[in-house]
Amino acid sequence: MQTVIGNLNKALVRGVGLLWGLEDDLRRLESVFSTIQLVLQDAEVKQRNNLVLQNWLLKLKDVAYDADDVLDLIATKGLRRRFNSERGKHGHLTSFFSKRNPLLFRVEIARKVRDIRGRLNDIADERHKFELREGVMNNQVGVVESRQTSSLVNESEIFGRDEERETLVQKLLHDMADQDDLSVCAMWGMGGIGKTTLAQLVYNDERVEKHFEQRIWVCVSEDFSLQRLVKAILESVQGGGCSVTELDPLLRLLQEKLRGKKFLLVMDDVWNDDQSLWDPLKEALRCGSKGSGVLVTTRNEKISRMMATAEIMSHRIGYLSDADSWSLFKRRAFACRTEDENLVRIGEEIVKKCGGVPLAIKALGSLMRFKSHESEWLAVKESETWNLPDHGNDIFPVLMLSYDNLSPQMRQCFSYCCVFPKDYWMDKDELIQLWMASGFLHEEGQKDLYLIGRSIFEELVRRSFLQDAEKHQIGKMRCKMHDLMHDLAESVMRRETYRMVDENVQKIPPRVRHLSCDSWSLQMIKEKRDKLRLLSVDTVHSLIQMNLYADDVKHRGFLLSFISNQQHLRVLEFCGIMNFRNFVDKWEHLRFLSMSCIELRTLPESVTRLHNLQTLKLTSTHDLRKLPEGLKHMKNLWFVEIDRPDSLICTPPGLGELTSLQRLSIFIVGEDSAHQTIQLKELNLGGKLSIRGLENVRNLEDVKAANMITKRNLASLNLSWASGANNISMEHFEATLENIQPHHNLEQICISSYQGSRFPNWMSAPAFINLSEITLERCEKCEHLPHLGKLPALKVLKLVGLDSVRRLGTEWCGDGKSSFVALTELRLLEMLDLEEWIIPNSHESFIRLQLSRDKEMSPIWGKCISKLMSINQYLIFFTTLLYSLINFFYLD
């Protein structure tokens, strides 16, 4: 709904609507959508127990999708008019609409707009029978009662928390005891992971009970009120009710009761992340004696870090091990009977579905206690969590509670992730690109869509909806979803998302919007396409991992027919080759295009007619030689990523006109001004960038104007000249590299075929605190290396083919006292004339290594890998000399 209302207010839509006489229809459409939006939050909460309301919301969603498609067509028409104007083309039809009669096209659009308005009016009238309330409602009304917890615990039901219990007890008894000010320890993790249980164990630990004069337990829950919370603390301290209602006297009374006492306050299930709301309570609690503290549990890492008084006081709760998970399940499921071998085998598979989450294990264990037949156990094993009966302690309402507390934008982004299979590593940038393409992200002031997507990604990680977030290569972050979170997302999107896999083939939902296909399911599609009824589906917005490689021509033709039938695509990812000229007119909405094809030589010019395209990704294109010349006219492009650009001869002219571009894998400098480095001036590029053809730089001022030093989001930079560029002066090489200085946020740099005699000073500047990998290759005229030892984060250093370097002396280490403090890998390859290597040791003397080689031997004399470890000051030694090196040099 938010997407549709935003599109209705776009200048392009309003402009074309005015031109076509649709202004009044569009205005009325916006009015009805806005009216319905007021009751949506209440409807979403109530629909879970109301089938009629569910159907009403489904009808509304279908209308919203259809409206979005029509509005996008109108906006695309506006883009086309602007494009023609910029290129000096005139006439009432562009090539994009050459197969359509313009008058009939307008009539058809007008008919669709009025049809949508009529359907929407009926839906709006129908809402009154549900008695839906307008405005922002309490998300939890009608879902589950506000959650309450107590300090009581049955320790016999707890497995696998001994180590974490001990860690937290030590923090409370020892780390807090040394602090004069109030200490706060916070633990966080996903819903159902066992935060409350662990807090109960710590609270009731005999050592904790003896250490603190006063222990207080309060459940904060998602309905935050500072007055209610202070009253709850007072009631726990006094052992009875409190008649005071105003905040200030409540806080003063709390200070009076706790002053001079060593107390422990446990605040369970904290949701509020507004620091200013906690400050009055924290100030009041400073009245206790030294060693007093607060233990907080929360689902949100952000809250944990906000409230903890030190980083070590923020603790993430871990999942149970396989052994502990089975012990917990067995205690519930086999409490009143002997263990049947077959049921044990099935039970072990059921436990794996729980992924180490205690609440899920308990819920399933309790469910299985009353099932005695093997068929019943198998049915549970093969079902998904959301299909299980709700026994009050089920994991699903607990996870749904977290889901309900997300913003609508975040809910869409999270639930979309189920288009990927379980245990799939999702790339952060690709996720954001897919969210953008699907219209889930909405501009907020000056903040662009990518930054909004990045904030949502980080928040989903903090709230444990996404997990295992890690940097897996330079400039790349990836993550996974816990199986239970994946189940939750699938339950939300079950009518809109379908993954084609080999097992459990079912008919595709008739209004499916997001469709993915694993590469190994091609045979399944071929064999069961009638059951899938693919050709009857024409509503798809996302089509991911469609493989067009097929020996069977008929099968390949079937897949092409299916793709050609999808005229509402926003996202398309496929392997193989297709004739874009036959499809591009049908893909007016396309925002994300990812192609994988080893046979691709040239990306056709017809791609440039996809004016809505935001992301263009080309993978496994080993032989790609040319991109479309008209790429500069695709003004909506944000990302142009080519994973193997080595075969490219040139990049298109005028890329500087793509001012929204944030990723550009490669830029090849050419001889004319449309291919010079000044084209990079206005581009706010991030990620990885390779600049080739630097021998073609004509004006050194153009290099400086590229503003590389301002591109703070660049993580990796590859600079290369053509080998054998002998017609360029050494001074020109040096000035070019000097002027191309990157921002100090850079993490990796590679310099190839540089023919200057020295490297610029910026390469060894300590300001490059993130620079972790440097490769220098074929820099044949450089006799001395920069002071790389000064770089504090340098982990990997590769030197290849530096023919003029004869001596690695103390100067490349910097000051010789604290050099290469982070280095873990050093590679020396094809160092033809290297004779001496002086390495400082921990006693500030030097190890001298004399190297010589037989002139008749192979020019590649070997590889040397050295691992440097910090012992006292810096003891540097060789851990490995490869066997092949023995034949090439001698140690003196």
Side-chain angles (χ1 to χ4, degrees):
M1 295 287 283
Q2 192 174 352
T3 301
V4 173
I5 293 172
N7 288 340
L8 279 163
N9 286 303
K10 281 184 177 178
L12 276 173
V13 173
R14 289 192 173 276
V16 176
L18 179 63
L19 186 66
W20 290 358
L22 295 173
E23 184 180 23
D24 187 54
D25 289 297
L26 294 177
R27 181 179 54 78
R28 291 182 182 179
L29 200 61
E30 180 189 1
S31 176
V32 182
F33 268 120
S34 298
T35 300
I36 295 177
Q37 191 182 35
L38 293 175
V39 301
L40 271 187
Q41 192 160 356
D42 192 32
E44 281 202 54
V45 170
K46 292 178 177 177
Q47 57 95 17
R48 291 180 190 133
N49 298 314
N50 188 328
L51 186 60
V52 178
L53 186 52
Q54 288 178 20
N55 291 330
W56 181 81
L57 283 171
L58 285 174
K59 287 192 292 184
L60 177 60
K61 182 168 280 192
D62 279 340
V63 172
Y65 269 118
D66 292 343
D68 188 38
D69 290 337
V70 172
L71 294 173
D72 205 49
L73 279 177
I74 295 173
T76 302
K77 180 65 175 178
L79 278 176
R80 179 61 56 179
R81 291 172 62 86
R82 182 188 296 173
F83 170 72
N84 287 337
S85 175
E86 290 175 356
R87 301 190 72 177
K89 288 188 177 182
H90 301 284
H92 42 269
L93 270 187
T94 69
S95 59
F96 193 79
F97 293 100
S98 60
K99 295 183 180 180
R100 299 184 182 183
N101 181 301
L103 180 59
L104 291 179
F105 179 73
R106 294 184 189 184
V107 170
E108 178 67 11
I109 290 293
R111 184 192 65 76
K112 287 183 177 181
V113 169
R114 286 164 188 147
D115 175 65
I116 288 168
R117 207 187 87 195
R119 292 162 59 196
L120 194 60
N121 284 334
D122 292 340
I123 291 171
D125 292 339
E126 196 177 351
R127 81 185 188 278
H128 296 298
K129 69 181 183 183
F130 300 115
E131 299 180 355
L132 300 174
R133 288 176 287 180
E134 294 185 356
V136 178
M137 310 300 298
N138 183 339
N139 283 347
Q140 305 316 316
V141 174
V143 185
V144 289
E145 294 183 3
S146 184
R147 180 170 177 259
Q148 292 294 318
T149 63
S150 76
S151 61
L152 302 178
V153 63
N154 180 3
E155 295 197 27
S156 65
E157 289 261 322
I158 300 171
F159 297 87
R161 294 303 186 195
D162 292 341
E163 187 175 335
E164 288 181 299
R165 173 187 189 171
E166 192 63 30
T167 298
L168 289 168
V169 168
Q170 292 304 313
K171 289 181 187 294
L172 297 180
L173 268 56
H174 300 290
D175 295 348
M176 284 186 178
D178 298 331
Q179 303 299 317
D180 293 323
D181 198 7
L182 181 75
S183 296
V184 181
C185 178
M187 52 173 145
W188 64 279
M190 67 178 290
I193 195 66
K195 301 179 294 298
T196 298
T197 302
L198 183 55
Q200 290 166 338
L201 282 175
V202 172
Y203 185 88
N204 290 287
D205 188 279
E206 186 178 352
R207 293 165 292 176
V208 172
E209 190 173 353
K210 291 179 179 179
H211 183 78
F212 292 100
E213 183 180 350
Q214 179 83 56
R215 292 176 303 138
I216 310 158
W217 180 286
V218 291
C219 180
V220 181
S221 196
E222 73 283 352
D223 182 20
F224 178 81
S225 165
L226 189 55
Q227 284 96 327
R228 183 188 67 79
L229 180 57
V230 177
K231 285 189 73 172
I233 296 172
L234 279 167
E235 288 172 1
S236 178
V237 173
Q238 297 175 157
C242 175
S243 60
V244 182
T245 57
E246 294 300 317
L247 180 60
D248 186 66
L250 278 171
L251 291 172
R252 293 183 182 278
L253 181 59
L254 179 63
Q255 283 188 319
E256 181 184 327
K257 297 292 183 182
L258 294 179
R259 184 169 284 113
K261 292 182 179 179
K262 183 187 291 187
F263 65 85
L264 171 65
L265 169 63
V266 176
M267 294 198 300
D268 187 37
D269 202 22
V270 174
W271 290 75
N272 179 66
D273 61 357
D274 188 344
Q275 177 74 60
S276 63
L277 295 179
W278 290 112
D279 288 340
L281 176 59
K282 190 173 182 180
E283 190 63 35
L285 292 174
R286 287 197 167 98
C287 63
S289 68
K290 181 178 179 180
S292 294
V294 179
L295 178 61
V296 172
T297 75
T298 177
R299 302 185 187 192
N300 192 331
E301 181 189 9
K302 177 183 177 182
I303 295 175
S304 174
R305 293 186 177 278
M306 177 189 78
M307 299 191 73
T309 49
E311 187 172 352
I312 63 168
M313 302 297 276
S314 177
H315 176 77
R316 181 176 185 175
I317 308 297
Y319 299 105
L320 294 184
S321 67
D322 290 345
D324 290 325
S325 296
W326 173 247
S327 297
L328 178 56
F329 179 85
K330 185 172 66 172
R331 181 177 181 83
R332 291 287 180 111
F334 295 101
C336 304
R337 59 180 164 186
T338 57
E339 297 179 21
D340 178 89
E341 184 178 340
N342 289 334
L343 297 186
V344 167
R345 176 178 49 81
I346 300 169
E348 289 173 344
E349 293 299 316
I350 292 174
V351 169
K352 288 179 182 178
K353 291 169 70 76
C354 299
V357 178
L359 187 57
I361 298 167
K362 289 178 181 179
L364 284 166
S366 298
L367 178 66
M368 305 318 295
R369 175 183 297 185
F370 305 103
K371 295 183 182 295
S372 55
H373 298 294
E374 185 175 335
S375 59
E376 294 177 304
W377 282 58
L378 285 171
V380 172
K381 170 182 169 291
E382 292 166 2
S383 71
E384 297 294 349
T385 303
W386 64 82
N387 290 325
L388 297 178
D390 182 1
H391 291 282
N393 290 324
D394 195 359
I395 184 68
F396 184 65
V398 177
L399 297 183
M400 188 57 75
L401 180 64
S402 295
Y403 174 82
D404 286 337
N405 277 271
L406 298 176
S407 69
Q409 206 172 185
M410 290 172 64
R411 291 183 207 173
Q412 286 186 306
C413 293
F414 159 71
S415 56
Y416 183 88
C417 296
C418 72
V419 76
F420 299 107
K422 290 182 178 179
D423 293 323
Y424 182 85
W425 282 107
M426 296 176 286
D427 180 79
K428 182 186 80 170
D429 277 348
E430 183 170 314
L431 264 186
I432 295 173
Q433 291 162 7
L434 292 171
W435 294 340
M436 286 176 57
S438 300
F440 298 156
L441 308 181
H442 311 287
E443 292 181 1
E444 300 172 1
Q446 300 299 313
K447 199 173 182 182
D448 68 40
L449 293 181
Y450 178 78
L451 291 179
I452 293 168
R454 192 173 70 182
S455 297
I456 287 176
F457 177 88
E458 292 167 355
E459 190 66 20
L460 289 174
V461 170
R462 279 195 291 266
R463 294 173 182 246
S464 300
F465 284 88
L466 301 176
Q467 66 175 32
D468 298 336
E470 64 177 28
K471 182 181 287 186
H472 65 109
Q473 53 179 283
I474 298 293
K476 288 287 187 180
M477 181 77 73
R478 65 180 184 177
C479 68
K480 282 186 177 182
M481 289 179 77
H482 190 280
D483 283 359
L484 290 171
M485 286 298 184
H486 194 281
D487 291 346
L488 174 64
E490 281 196 316
S491 74
V492 173
M493 296 284 282
R494 62 185 179 275
R495 292 183 178 90
E496 298 174 56
T497 302
Y498 187 88
R499 288 197 326 277
M500 292 187 284
V501 294
D502 290 339
E503 64 274 7
N504 298 326
V505 175
Q506 299 174 0
K507 178 184 173 182
I508 295 178
R511 303 292 288 174
V512 68
R513 305 293 175 174
H514 310 293
L515 193 62
S516 67
C517 171
D518 300 324
S519 58
W520 56 82
S521 1
L522 291 174
Q523 186 66 26
M524 177 271 293
I525 295 173
K526 178 181 175 182
E527 294 174 354
K528 303 182 180 180
R529 64 189 189 186
D530 291 335
K531 184 173 182 179
L532 288 167
R533 298 188 183 180
L534 274 174
L535 291 183
S536 66
V537 174
D538 63 356
T539 58
V540 178
H541 277 212
S542 301
L543 187 55
I544 296 177
Q545 298 173 348
M546 184 58 73
N547 193 332
L548 295 177
Y549 288 113
D551 297 330
D552 187 333
V553 176
K554 182 179 179 181
H555 175 49
R556 186 171 184 272
F558 168 75
L559 292 178
L560 284 171
S561 297
F562 169 67
I563 294 177
S564 68
N565 197 37
Q566 307 310 315
Q567 300 191 31
H568 307 293
L569 283 176
R570 267 67 170 175
V571 172
L572 176 60
E573 177 183 324
F574 69 93
C575 303
I577 288 183
M578 64 172 64
N579 188 341
F580 274 88
R581 193 175 298 275
N582 296 337
F583 294 93
V584 76
D585 286 347
K586 301 179 180 182
W587 292 344
E588 298 156 290
H589 306 284
L590 202 63
R591 263 83 172 164
F592 179 101
L593 176 61
S594 177
M595 302 170 55
S596 176
C597 181
I598 57 176
E599 302 168 12
L600 189 66
R601 304 284 189 281
T602 303
L603 193 63
E605 202 69 28
S606 56
V607 171
T608 62
R609 285 153 54 190
L610 301 172
H611 286 282
N612 284 310
L613 200 67
Q614 298 167 341
T615 301
L616 176 61
K617 302 184 78 167
L618 303 172
T619 60
S620 301
T621 50
H622 308 277
D623 296 325
L624 182 66
R625 300 177 67 79
K626 190 178 179 183
L627 296 173
E629 288 287 312
L631 203 68
K632 65 181 180 180
H633 299 299
M634 302 178 72
K635 298 300 173 61
N636 282 321
L637 271 178
W638 288 62
F639 310 93
V640 178
E641 300 182 27
I642 309 171
D643 70 335
R644 304 199 178 193
D646 297 341
S647 58
L648 271 181
I649 298 173
C650 63
T651 45
L655 290 180
E657 298 180 33
L658 300 177
T659 52
S660 295
L661 209 59
Q662 299 207 6
R663 295 288 187 278
L664 180 64
S665 298
I666 184 168
F667 181 84
I668 301 177
V669 184
E671 296 184 358
D672 59 82
S673 59
H675 292 88
Q676 288 292 303
T677 54
I678 196 171
Q679 293 290 328
L680 303 176
K681 179 179 180 180
E682 302 297 332
L683 304 186
N684 182 27
L685 298 176
K688 296 183 178 182
L689 172 64
S690 175
I691 304 179
R692 283 178 18 206
L694 284 167
E695 71 280 359
N696 292 318
V697 168
R698 295 290 173 258
N699 186 345
L700 293 173
E701 288 302 314
D702 285 353
V703 180
K704 196 167 187 178
N707 283 336
M708 298 303 295
I709 198 170
T710 66
K711 304 189 191 310
R712 60 184 306 114
N713 297 320
L714 266 184
S716 173
L717 182 61
N718 192 324
L719 306 172
S720 64
W721 289 255
S723 57
N726 299 320
N727 58 335
I728 303 173
S729 68
M730 190 175 291
E731 291 77 13
H732 191 278
F733 275 100
E734 293 172 357
T736 299
L737 188 55
E738 183 71 48
N739 287 335
I740 213 165
Q741 178 178 351
H743 192 275
H744 55 250
N745 283 349
L746 199 71
E747 298 177 38
Q748 185 267 345
I749 189 169
C750 176
I751 300 175
S752 302
S753 300
Y754 169 69
Q755 299 301 312
S757 63
R758 62 179 182 82
F759 290 101
N761 292 331
W762 60 257
M763 282 190 65
S764 54
F768 282 88
I769 57 174
N770 298 318
L771 193 55
S772 61
E773 183 174 332
I774 295 177
T775 301
L776 306 176
E777 56 185 12
R778 314 296 173 200
C779 304
E780 298 160 351
K781 296 182 181 179
C782 285
E783 297 181 5
H784 303 286
L785 296 175
H787 300 163
L788 302 179
K790 294 181 178 180
L791 299 172
L794 185 61
K795 294 181 179 180
V796 179
L797 177 58
K798 302 175 185 177
L799 307 178
V800 184
L802 274 61
D803 291 353
S804 297
V805 175
R806 297 177 178 274
R807 180 176 182 271
L808 295 177
T810 58
E811 67 282 354
W812 79 310
C813 299
D815 56 20
K817 296 180 180 179
S818 56
S819 304
F820 297 110
V821 294
L823 196 67
T824 59
E825 183 178 337
L826 173 64
R827 293 175 182 248
L828 306 179
L829 303 172
E830 303 177 48
M831 303 288 284
L832 302 182
D833 293 317
L834 183 62
E835 297 176 353
E836 185 178 48
W837 182 5
I838 298 176
I839 306 172
N841 70 6
S842 60
H843 301 292
E844 300 182 9
S845 57
F846 298 94
I847 300 172
R848 185 182 301 270
L849 175 66
Q850 300 287 341
L851 305 174
S852 64
R853 68 177 185 83
D854 190 328
K855 300 295 182 183
E856 303 301 321
M857 288 186 178
S858 166
I860 301 178
W861 60 267
K863 175 183 2 180
C864 177
I865 300 177
S866 175
K867 187 162 187 176
L868 289 77
M869 299 178 62
S870 178
I871 302 175
N872 295 329
Q873 294 187 354
Y874 299 100
L875 176 61
I876 302 177
F877 65 99
F878 290 105
T879 58
T880 307
L881 286 177
L882 300 180
Y883 176 75
S884 59
L885 299 183
I886 298 174
N887 297 321
F888 297 115
F889 63 91
Y890 304 93
L891 300 177
D892 292 339

